[in-house]
Amino acid sequence: MRRVATAMATNIRHRSPSPFRSKPPPTSTAQAVDTTMGMAIPTDPRTVRRVRPLEPPVRRRPARTVRHATPPESATPSLLQLIWLASPALPVGGFSYSEGLESAVDRAGVATENAASDWLIDQLHLALTRGDLAAIAKAIPAWRRGDLAHVAELNAWVLQTRETSELRAQAEQMGRSLLEWLRNHHTATPQQIAACSQMQPTYPIAYALAASATQAPLRDCLLAYAFGWAENMTQSAIKSVPLGQSAGQRILARLAADIPAAVDRAILLPDSQ
């Protein structure tokens, strides 16, 4: 009996599957039927090919066409306006005057580079500083505050201090030419141009009007005027002595080095001087 019971228990133990044993993988792949196309579609994740999702197309914005409007002349930076006013290309005729240098070459022995340089340095400190630069230093603030009476006084003073008829004619001619240039630009207002025309302006007074509209600092306005004068006089020395271009550049460099001190002195001069 014991042997029969033992054999039956062993048989049962071999026949009943263990609850902890995993099922073997299926030998055939399960398939599902596509009802729309009648095709078999594998459902086993190991046999299904992964398809990368399509990315949406990138939309690129068209490049913008930037249109640069031409700014009015009043919007031009003040530095560029001062360079324009000091340029020898300004149609006022400054290049055609020597301001006595030709006479100095003929009669005073100004026949070398050093002599011409010394003569121009003296003219800068003795004539330009106490004459044109001093008048412009007073005229620019007067134009800006609308003090036309003071501007007229300064214009009369410039005419009275010209030593010869040639220098007076030069101041008047260049003043008229600059006034005509102002009529064709938007630098000054029509009211200012009309007031300037009535007093028959000299060149320093007309320049003061043009420079006052730039809103540049007073010292910068005077520096531009003095350097424009230095360029014209250097060209006159090159033609009159005559000199080479390198010598002219050395003279201009010496004048440029003395211009700031001359301008500072002109600003400090009182009306009585």
Side-chain angles (χ1 to χ4, degrees), residues 84-102 119-120 128 132 170 173-174 203 207 224-240 248-249 251-252 255 259:
W84 195 353
L85 290 174
S87 172
L90 195 70
V92 295
F95 63 90
S96 60
Y97 297 101
S98 67
E99 299 187 11
L101 179 58
E102 292 180 355
W119 190 88
L120 290 176
L128 194 74
D132 289 7
Q170 174 187 347
Q173 180 272 311
M174 293 180 65
Y203 183 62
Y207 176 89
Y225 183 91
F227 189 78
W229 171 87
E231 281 191 306
N232 287 329
M233 296 305 298
T234 298
Q235 290 299 319
S236 179
I238 290 175
K239 293 182 293 184
S240 302
Q249 288 300 304
I251 292 175
L252 185 59
L255 288 170
I259 283 176

Side-chain angles (χ1 to χ4, degrees), residues 101 104-105 108-120 237-238 240-244 247-248 250-251 254:
L101 179 58
V105 171
V110 180
T112 64
E113 175 187 340
N114 290 334
S117 179
D118 293 340
W119 190 88
L120 290 176
I238 290 175
S240 302
V241 174
L243 298 170
R250 288 190 291 269
I251 292 175
R254 186 179 174 189

Side-chain angles (χ1 to χ4, degrees), residues 86 133 207 218-228 259-261 263-264:
L133 292 180
Y207 176 89
L218 176 62
R219 189 173 187 269
D220 291 349
C221 297
L222 296 178
L223 289 172
Y225 183 91
F227 189 78
I259 283 176
V263 166
D264 293 337

Side-chain angles (χ1 to χ4, degrees), residues 52-65:
R52 188 176 182 179
L54 296 177
E55 297 180 357
V58 179
R59 296 181 180 180
R60 296 182 179 180
R61 296 181 180 179
R64 296 182 179 180
T65 302

Side-chain angles (χ1 to χ4, degrees), residues 1-14:
M1 295 296 289
R2 289 180 180 178
R3 293 179 180 177
V4 174
T6 303
M8 292 178 63
T10 303
N11 189 18
I12 294 173
R13 192 163 51 245
H14 283 286

Side-chain angles (χ1 to χ4, degrees), residues 24-145:
T27 57
S28 62
T29 303
Q31 294 182 344
V33 178
D34 188 353
T35 58
T36 59
M37 301 296 294
M39 298 176 60
I41 303 175
T43 58
D44 191 347
R46 293 176 298 178
T47 61
V48 177
R49 183 180 179 183
R50 295 181 180 180
V51 180
R52 188 176 182 179
L54 296 177
E55 297 180 357
V58 179
R59 296 181 180 180
R60 296 182 179 180
R61 296 181 180 179
R64 296 182 179 180
T65 302
V66 180
R67 297 180 179 179
H68 298 281
T70 302
E73 293 173 4
S74 58
T76 305
S78 59
L79 176 59
L80 292 180
Q81 290 186 341
L82 291 180
I83 294 175
W84 195 353
L85 290 174
S87 172
L90 195 70
V92 295
F95 63 90
S96 60
Y97 297 101
S98 67
E99 299 187 11
L101 179 58
E102 292 180 355
S103 298
V105 171
D106 294 337
R107 303 177 182 180
V110 180
T112 64
E113 175 187 340
N114 290 334
S117 179
D118 293 340
W119 190 88
L120 290 176
I121 289 292
D122 289 340
Q123 292 299 309
L124 170 64
H125 290 287
L126 299 177
L128 194 74
T129 299
R130 302 176 65 87
D132 289 7
L133 292 180
I136 295 171
K138 302 296 186 297
I140 289 178
W143 278 118
R144 288 176 175 173
R145 65 175 180 266

